[in-house]
Amino acid sequence: MSASIQSSGGVITCRAAVAWGPGQPLVLEEVEVAPPKSMEIRVKVVCTSLCRSDVTQWQSQAQPDLFPRIFGHEASGIVEGIGDGVTEFEIGDHVLTVFIGECGRCTHCRSSKSNMCQNLGLERRGLMHSDQMTRFRVKGRPAYHYCAVSSFSEYIVVHSGCAVKINPTVRMDRACLLSCGVAAGIGAAWNVADISKESTIVIFGLGTVGLSVAQAAKIRGASRIIGVDINPEKFEKGKTFGVTEYINPDECREPVQQVIKKLTDGGADFSFECIGDTDIVSTALQSCCDGWGVTVTLGVPKTKPEVSTHYAFLLTGRTLKGSLFGGWKPKSDLPSLVDKYSNGEIKLDELVTHEIPFERINDAFDLMREGSCLRCVIHMQKEL
Ligand code: COD
Ligand code: ZN
Ligand code: ZN
C-alpha cells in the first residue's frame, strides 16, 4: 500500500499509522485526507520524530472517545496543496509543522511577551482549529487529529499558521526535531530563564528536552550544568551537550534537593523540570537558591496535573515559570533556529539515536518506553 494521489486538489488516499484505542499498537491503514480548507495547506510528510508527548497521550486513558486517532506532531514536510486565502506558501515549500501556531493577529501574537496564540493554541480535542472537524477518514469513519498536526500520516492538512517555511537545503530528517522538543528546551533556557554567563544550572531529566536545555545553557556560558536522571546511561550523552556533573536521585542518601544545595552553596541559579512529573516541580524549586533562583517547567505531565509546594520556597524569592514551546513564536523564530543548525551553532544529529521506516513505527514507541532512545526519526516516504 502506498500513497496514491487521486487529484492534487481533491481527496488523497495514503497510509497513516492509526491508533484504534489508548495504548493499542498503531496499525498502518489506508486513510482519506481531505483537501485543505480556507487558510489551510496540505503537506506531504517527509520525516517525523517521536516526541514523548505522543507516547504519553497515546497511553492516556483520559480521552477514550478520541479514537481512531492519528498521533505525531514533530515533523518536516513539503507543501502539496494550498487552500483559499493562503499567500504565504507555494507548492514545494519545505515546512516544519508546529503544535502551537502563530496567527500573527491576536493579542498574544502581537505581544513580544507571549507565544500563546489565541487562535491556534494547543489543540486538545483532536480536531482542526478552524471548524472543529477532522480532515481524515479511515474505514468510513472520521479519525481524530493530534495537536492539529497528526504527522503519522503520509499526507496531512494543517492550518497555514501551524506550518513554518524553512530553508530547503536543510536536512529534513534533522530539522523535524526543531518542531517540538529541541526548540522547547533551547527556548526554555534562552527565552524563558534567560540564563546568564557563569550561572549554575540543574536539569531534571536528560532526555532530548533536558539535553537541549543543557546545550543552550552551555552556549550562554553557564559554568556548571548538573544533570539529574534515574538512568545513569544518560550522563555519557549529557557530556556532549555540556552537562558537567551527574546525580542519580536513586543513589542519594538524602533528598536530591539537599544534595544540590550542598553542591552549589545554597542552590542553583536556574533549575528545569524536563521529566513531565509535577512532583519534580517542587524538587526543582527547592534546588535553586533563595533570592533569585528561577525554576522553569517544560514537561507535559504524564499523570497528576496539580503542582504542590511549600509557600516558603516562593516567599524566599524563587520564581516558578511555565513555558510551552520554549516561548518561541514559531513563524517568527523557528527559521533562524533552523539556520543555527545549518551553521553548526546547535547540535541535532547527536540526538538522533534511531532511524526507521514508517512501516516500523511501533518500534519507535517501544524504544522510547524502554528509555533507550532520545529521538527516533521515522522516514515516511522511503525505504531505509
Ligand atoms: N527523576 C529523574 N529523572 C527521571 C525521572 C525521575 N523521577 N523519571 C524519568 N526521568 C528521566 C528519564 O530517565 C529520561 O531520561 C528523562 O527523565 C525524560 O526524558 P524523555 O526522553 O522521556 O522525554 P523528552 O526529553 O523527550 O521530553 C519529555 C517532556 C516530559 C519534557 C515532554 O513533556 C516534552 O517534550 N516537553 C517539552 C515540549 C513541549 O512543550 N511539548 C508540548 C507538546 S509535545
Ligand atoms: Zn495568534
Ligand atoms: Zn512534542
Side-chain angles (χ1 to χ4, degrees), residues 192-239:
V192 186
D194 195 11
I195 288 175
S196 43
K197 208 168 182 312
E198 304 296 336
S199 46
T200 296
I201 315 296
V202 183
I203 301 167
F204 289 85
L206 297 178
T208 297
V209 173
L211 295 177
S212 301
V213 172
Q215 75 158 316
K218 185 182 178 187
I219 292 169
R220 277 282 175 96
S223 59
R224 294 178 73 181
I225 303 174
I226 303 168
V228 181
D229 202 297
I230 47 172
N231 181 349
E233 287 170 20
K234 299 289 172 133
F235 184 39
E236 217 34 57
K237 195 68 154 191
K239 289 181 197 165

Short mmCIF file of all heavy atoms in Angstrom, two decimals, residues 192-239:
data_model
loop_
_atom_site.label_atom_id
_atom_site.label_comp_id
_atom_site.label_asym_id
_atom_site.label_seq_id
_atom_site.Cartn_x
_atom_site.Cartn_y
_atom_site.Cartn_z
N VAL A 192 13.00 31.88 28.28
CA VAL A 192 12.19 31.86 29.50
C VAL A 192 13.09 32.11 30.72
O VAL A 192 12.85 33.04 31.49
CB VAL A 192 11.41 30.53 29.63
CG1 VAL A 192 10.47 30.57 30.82
CG2 VAL A 192 10.63 30.23 28.35
N ALA A 193 14.16 31.32 30.87
CA ALA A 193 15.07 31.54 32.01
C ALA A 193 16.00 32.72 31.72
O ALA A 193 16.38 33.45 32.62
CB ALA A 193 15.88 30.28 32.26
N ASP A 194 16.38 32.89 30.47
CA ASP A 194 17.36 33.91 30.08
C ASP A 194 18.65 33.72 30.89
O ASP A 194 19.13 34.62 31.58
CB ASP A 194 16.75 35.32 30.28
CG ASP A 194 17.58 36.37 29.56
OD1 ASP A 194 18.45 36.00 28.75
OD2 ASP A 194 17.37 37.57 29.83
N ILE A 195 19.20 32.53 30.76
CA ILE A 195 20.40 32.12 31.52
C ILE A 195 21.55 33.09 31.29
O ILE A 195 21.82 33.47 30.16
CB ILE A 195 20.82 30.70 31.07
CG1 ILE A 195 19.83 29.68 31.60
CG2 ILE A 195 22.23 30.37 31.52
CD1 ILE A 195 20.10 28.28 31.12
N SER A 196 22.20 33.44 32.38
CA SER A 196 23.34 34.36 32.26
C SER A 196 24.66 33.60 32.37
O SER A 196 24.70 32.47 32.88
CB SER A 196 23.24 35.43 33.34
OG SER A 196 22.86 34.82 34.55
N LYS A 197 25.72 34.23 31.88
CA LYS A 197 27.07 33.66 31.90
C LYS A 197 27.46 33.27 33.33
O LYS A 197 27.04 33.96 34.27
CB LYS A 197 28.02 34.75 31.38
CG LYS A 197 29.26 34.26 30.71
CD LYS A 197 29.93 35.45 30.01
CE LYS A 197 31.16 35.11 29.24
NZ LYS A 197 32.18 34.35 29.73
N GLU A 198 28.23 32.23 33.46
CA GLU A 198 28.77 31.78 34.76
C GLU A 198 27.71 31.22 35.71
O GLU A 198 28.01 30.97 36.87
CB GLU A 198 29.52 32.93 35.50
CG GLU A 198 30.65 33.58 34.72
CD GLU A 198 31.80 32.62 34.41
OE1 GLU A 198 31.95 31.63 35.14
OE2 GLU A 198 32.50 32.83 33.40
N SER A 199 26.47 31.08 35.26
CA SER A 199 25.45 30.61 36.21
C SER A 199 25.51 29.08 36.38
O SER A 199 26.11 28.36 35.59
CB SER A 199 24.06 31.07 35.79
OG SER A 199 23.86 30.86 34.44
N THR A 200 24.85 28.65 37.44
CA THR A 200 24.77 27.22 37.76
C THR A 200 23.35 26.74 37.45
O THR A 200 22.37 27.36 37.85
CB THR A 200 25.07 27.01 39.26
OG1 THR A 200 26.42 27.41 39.49
CG2 THR A 200 24.92 25.56 39.67
N ILE A 201 23.30 25.62 36.72
CA ILE A 201 22.02 25.12 36.20
C ILE A 201 21.80 23.70 36.73
O ILE A 201 22.75 22.92 36.77
CB ILE A 201 22.08 24.99 34.65
CG1 ILE A 201 22.71 26.21 33.98
CG2 ILE A 201 20.73 24.66 34.04
CD1 ILE A 201 21.94 27.46 34.17
N VAL A 202 20.57 23.38 37.05
CA VAL A 202 20.22 21.97 37.34
C VAL A 202 19.11 21.56 36.38
O VAL A 202 18.11 22.27 36.24
CB VAL A 202 19.72 21.76 38.78
CG1 VAL A 202 19.44 20.28 39.03
CG2 VAL A 202 20.74 22.24 39.78
N ILE A 203 19.30 20.42 35.75
CA ILE A 203 18.29 19.93 34.80
C ILE A 203 17.78 18.58 35.29
O ILE A 203 18.56 17.63 35.43
CB ILE A 203 18.91 19.77 33.39
CG1 ILE A 203 19.48 21.12 32.89
CG2 ILE A 203 17.87 19.24 32.40
CD1 ILE A 203 20.37 20.99 31.67
N PHE A 204 16.49 18.51 35.54
CA PHE A 204 15.86 17.25 35.94
C PHE A 204 15.35 16.56 34.68
O PHE A 204 14.41 17.04 34.05
CB PHE A 204 14.71 17.52 36.92
CG PHE A 204 15.19 17.96 38.27
CD1 PHE A 204 15.48 19.30 38.51
CD2 PHE A 204 15.39 17.03 39.27
CE1 PHE A 204 15.95 19.70 39.76
CE2 PHE A 204 15.87 17.42 40.52
CZ PHE A 204 16.16 18.75 40.76
N GLY A 205 15.98 15.45 34.33
CA GLY A 205 15.59 14.69 33.13
C GLY A 205 16.51 15.01 31.98
O GLY A 205 16.55 16.14 31.50
N LEU A 206 17.30 13.99 31.56
CA LEU A 206 18.25 14.20 30.47
C LEU A 206 17.79 13.48 29.20
O LEU A 206 18.55 12.79 28.55
CB LEU A 206 19.65 13.71 30.89
CG LEU A 206 20.28 14.47 32.07
CD1 LEU A 206 21.63 13.89 32.43
CD2 LEU A 206 20.41 15.97 31.76
N GLY A 207 16.53 13.66 28.87
CA GLY A 207 16.03 13.22 27.56
C GLY A 207 16.37 14.31 26.55
O GLY A 207 17.17 15.21 26.82
N THR A 208 15.74 14.23 25.40
CA THR A 208 16.01 15.22 24.34
C THR A 208 15.78 16.64 24.84
O THR A 208 16.54 17.55 24.52
CB THR A 208 15.09 14.92 23.14
OG1 THR A 208 15.44 13.64 22.64
CG2 THR A 208 15.22 15.95 22.06
N VAL A 209 14.73 16.83 25.63
CA VAL A 209 14.39 18.18 26.08
C VAL A 209 15.43 18.68 27.07
O VAL A 209 15.96 19.79 26.94
CB VAL A 209 12.96 18.20 26.66
CG1 VAL A 209 12.64 19.53 27.29
CG2 VAL A 209 11.94 17.88 25.56
N GLY A 210 15.77 17.86 28.06
CA GLY A 210 16.77 18.26 29.05
C GLY A 210 18.13 18.50 28.41
O GLY A 210 18.84 19.46 28.75
N LEU A 211 18.52 17.66 27.46
CA LEU A 211 19.82 17.85 26.79
C LEU A 211 19.81 19.12 25.94
O LEU A 211 20.85 19.76 25.77
CB LEU A 211 20.15 16.63 25.93
CG LEU A 211 20.39 15.32 26.70
CD1 LEU A 211 20.65 14.16 25.75
CD2 LEU A 211 21.56 15.47 27.67
N SER A 212 18.65 19.48 25.45
CA SER A 212 18.55 20.72 24.67
C SER A 212 18.69 21.93 25.58
O SER A 212 19.28 22.94 25.21
CB SER A 212 17.23 20.75 23.90
OG SER A 212 17.17 19.63 23.05
N VAL A 213 18.16 21.83 26.79
CA VAL A 213 18.39 22.89 27.79
C VAL A 213 19.89 22.98 28.06
O VAL A 213 20.47 24.08 28.10
CB VAL A 213 17.63 22.60 29.11
CG1 VAL A 213 18.03 23.59 30.20
CG2 VAL A 213 16.11 22.64 28.90
N ALA A 214 20.54 21.82 28.20
CA ALA A 214 21.97 21.80 28.53
C ALA A 214 22.79 22.47 27.43
O ALA A 214 23.64 23.31 27.72
CB ALA A 214 22.44 20.36 28.74
N GLN A 215 22.50 22.12 26.16
CA GLN A 215 23.33 22.72 25.11
C GLN A 215 23.11 24.22 25.03
O GLN A 215 24.05 24.99 24.80
CB GLN A 215 23.18 22.02 23.77
CG GLN A 215 21.94 22.27 22.97
CD GLN A 215 22.19 21.94 21.46
OE1 GLN A 215 23.22 22.30 20.88
NE2 GLN A 215 21.26 21.23 20.86
N ALA A 216 21.88 24.66 25.29
CA ALA A 216 21.60 26.10 25.25
C ALA A 216 22.28 26.81 26.42
O ALA A 216 22.78 27.94 26.28
CB ALA A 216 20.09 26.32 25.29
N ALA A 217 22.31 26.15 27.59
CA ALA A 217 22.98 26.74 28.77
C ALA A 217 24.48 26.85 28.52
O ALA A 217 25.11 27.86 28.87
CB ALA A 217 22.70 25.88 30.00
N LYS A 218 25.03 25.84 27.89
CA LYS A 218 26.47 25.86 27.60
C LYS A 218 26.80 27.02 26.64
O LYS A 218 27.76 27.75 26.82
CB LYS A 218 26.87 24.52 26.98
CG LYS A 218 28.36 24.40 26.75
CD LYS A 218 28.74 23.10 26.11
CE LYS A 218 30.25 23.07 25.86
NZ LYS A 218 30.64 21.88 25.10
N ILE A 219 25.94 27.18 25.63
CA ILE A 219 26.17 28.27 24.66
C ILE A 219 26.12 29.63 25.36
O ILE A 219 26.87 30.53 25.03
CB ILE A 219 25.13 28.17 23.51
CG1 ILE A 219 25.39 26.91 22.67
CG2 ILE A 219 25.15 29.43 22.62
CD1 ILE A 219 24.29 26.55 21.67
N ARG A 220 25.25 29.74 26.37
CA ARG A 220 25.16 31.00 27.13
C ARG A 220 26.30 31.19 28.13
O ARG A 220 26.38 32.18 28.82
CB ARG A 220 23.83 31.04 27.90
CG ARG A 220 22.64 31.51 27.09
CD ARG A 220 22.65 33.03 26.95
NE ARG A 220 21.60 33.51 26.09
CZ ARG A 220 20.42 33.95 26.50
NH1 ARG A 220 20.14 33.96 27.78
NH2 ARG A 220 19.54 34.40 25.64
N GLY A 221 27.16 30.18 28.26
CA GLY A 221 28.31 30.32 29.16
C GLY A 221 28.05 29.92 30.60
O GLY A 221 28.78 30.37 31.50
N ALA A 222 27.07 29.06 30.83
CA ALA A 222 26.85 28.55 32.19
C ALA A 222 28.11 27.83 32.67
O ALA A 222 28.76 27.14 31.89
CB ALA A 222 25.65 27.59 32.20
N SER A 223 28.43 27.99 33.95
CA SER A 223 29.69 27.38 34.41
C SER A 223 29.48 25.95 34.91
O SER A 223 30.35 25.10 34.76
CB SER A 223 30.35 28.23 35.48
OG SER A 223 29.46 28.37 36.56
N ARG A 224 28.34 25.68 35.51
CA ARG A 224 28.05 24.31 35.97
C ARG A 224 26.68 23.90 35.46
O ARG A 224 25.70 24.64 35.63
CB ARG A 224 28.05 24.26 37.50
CG ARG A 224 29.42 24.52 38.08
CD ARG A 224 29.35 24.51 39.59
NE ARG A 224 29.18 23.17 40.15
CZ ARG A 224 29.06 22.94 41.46
NH1 ARG A 224 29.07 23.95 42.32
NH2 ARG A 224 28.94 21.71 41.92
N ILE A 225 26.62 22.72 34.87
CA ILE A 225 25.35 22.19 34.38
C ILE A 225 25.18 20.80 35.00
O ILE A 225 25.85 19.84 34.61
CB ILE A 225 25.32 22.14 32.83
CG1 ILE A 225 25.58 23.54 32.25
CG2 ILE A 225 23.99 21.56 32.35
CD1 ILE A 225 25.72 23.59 30.73
N ILE A 226 24.32 20.74 36.00
CA ILE A 226 24.15 19.50 36.77
C ILE A 226 22.93 18.75 36.21
O ILE A 226 21.83 19.30 36.18
CB ILE A 226 23.95 19.82 38.27
CG1 ILE A 226 25.13 20.64 38.79
CG2 ILE A 226 23.74 18.54 39.08
CD1 ILE A 226 24.90 21.26 40.16
N GLY A 227 23.15 17.54 35.77
CA GLY A 227 22.06 16.73 35.23
C GLY A 227 21.57 15.73 36.27
O GLY A 227 22.38 15.06 36.92
N VAL A 228 20.25 15.63 36.43
CA VAL A 228 19.66 14.67 37.37
C VAL A 228 18.80 13.70 36.57
O VAL A 228 17.88 14.12 35.86
CB VAL A 228 18.77 15.40 38.41
CG1 VAL A 228 18.17 14.40 39.40
CG2 VAL A 228 19.55 16.50 39.13
N ASP A 229 19.13 12.41 36.66
CA ASP A 229 18.34 11.41 35.91
C ASP A 229 18.48 10.05 36.60
O ASP A 229 19.56 9.73 37.12
CB ASP A 229 18.85 11.32 34.46
CG ASP A 229 17.81 10.75 33.51
OD1 ASP A 229 17.41 9.57 33.69
OD2 ASP A 229 17.37 11.47 32.60
N ILE A 230 17.41 9.29 36.59
CA ILE A 230 17.45 7.96 37.22
C ILE A 230 18.16 6.94 36.32
O ILE A 230 18.47 5.85 36.76
CB ILE A 230 16.04 7.44 37.58
CG1 ILE A 230 15.09 7.64 36.40
CG2 ILE A 230 15.51 8.11 38.84
CD1 ILE A 230 13.74 7.00 36.58
N ASN A 231 18.40 7.32 35.07
CA ASN A 231 19.08 6.41 34.14
C ASN A 231 20.54 6.86 33.98
O ASN A 231 20.81 7.86 33.32
CB ASN A 231 18.34 6.45 32.79
CG ASN A 231 18.95 5.52 31.77
OD1 ASN A 231 20.04 4.99 31.97
ND2 ASN A 231 18.25 5.33 30.65
N PRO A 232 21.48 6.11 34.59
CA PRO A 232 22.88 6.57 34.57
C PRO A 232 23.49 6.64 33.17
O PRO A 232 24.47 7.34 32.94
CB PRO A 232 23.61 5.51 35.44
CG PRO A 232 22.67 4.39 35.60
CD PRO A 232 21.28 4.87 35.33
N GLU A 233 22.88 5.91 32.23
CA GLU A 233 23.41 5.95 30.86
C GLU A 233 23.28 7.34 30.22
O GLU A 233 23.93 7.65 29.23
CB GLU A 233 22.70 4.92 29.98
CG GLU A 233 23.13 3.50 30.32
CD GLU A 233 22.26 2.46 29.64
OE1 GLU A 233 21.59 2.78 28.64
OE2 GLU A 233 22.25 1.32 30.14
N LYS A 234 22.43 8.16 30.80
CA LYS A 234 22.17 9.47 30.19
C LYS A 234 23.35 10.44 30.38
O LYS A 234 23.44 11.44 29.67
CB LYS A 234 20.89 10.10 30.75
CG LYS A 234 19.64 9.29 30.50
CD LYS A 234 19.23 9.32 29.04
CE LYS A 234 18.10 8.36 28.75
NZ LYS A 234 17.03 8.89 27.99
N PHE A 235 24.22 10.18 31.35
CA PHE A 235 25.29 11.14 31.63
C PHE A 235 26.31 11.19 30.50
O PHE A 235 26.80 12.27 30.13
CB PHE A 235 25.98 10.80 32.96
CG PHE A 235 27.02 11.80 33.37
CD1 PHE A 235 26.84 13.18 33.16
CD2 PHE A 235 28.21 11.39 33.97
CE1 PHE A 235 27.79 14.10 33.54
CE2 PHE A 235 29.17 12.31 34.34
CZ PHE A 235 28.96 13.66 34.14
N GLU A 236 26.63 10.03 29.92
CA GLU A 236 27.63 9.99 28.85
C GLU A 236 27.22 10.93 27.71
O GLU A 236 27.98 11.77 27.25
CB GLU A 236 27.75 8.55 28.36
CG GLU A 236 29.13 8.09 27.97
CD GLU A 236 30.28 8.69 28.79
OE1 GLU A 236 30.28 8.55 30.03
OE2 GLU A 236 31.17 9.31 28.17
N LYS A 237 25.96 10.78 27.28
CA LYS A 237 25.44 11.64 26.22
C LYS A 237 25.38 13.09 26.71
O LYS A 237 25.65 14.03 25.98
CB LYS A 237 24.03 11.15 25.85
CG LYS A 237 23.49 11.69 24.56
CD LYS A 237 24.26 11.14 23.37
CE LYS A 237 23.42 11.11 22.11
NZ LYS A 237 24.05 10.37 21.03
N GLY A 238 25.03 13.23 27.99
CA GLY A 238 24.90 14.56 28.58
C GLY A 238 26.18 15.37 28.43
O GLY A 238 26.13 16.58 28.18
N LYS A 239 27.33 14.71 28.58
CA LYS A 239 28.61 15.42 28.49
C LYS A 239 28.75 16.11 27.14
O LYS A 239 29.26 17.22 27.05
CB LYS A 239 29.77 14.44 28.69
CG LYS A 239 29.91 13.93 30.10
CD LYS A 239 31.12 12.99 30.16
CE LYS A 239 31.09 12.13 31.40
NZ LYS A 239 32.01 10.99 31.31
#
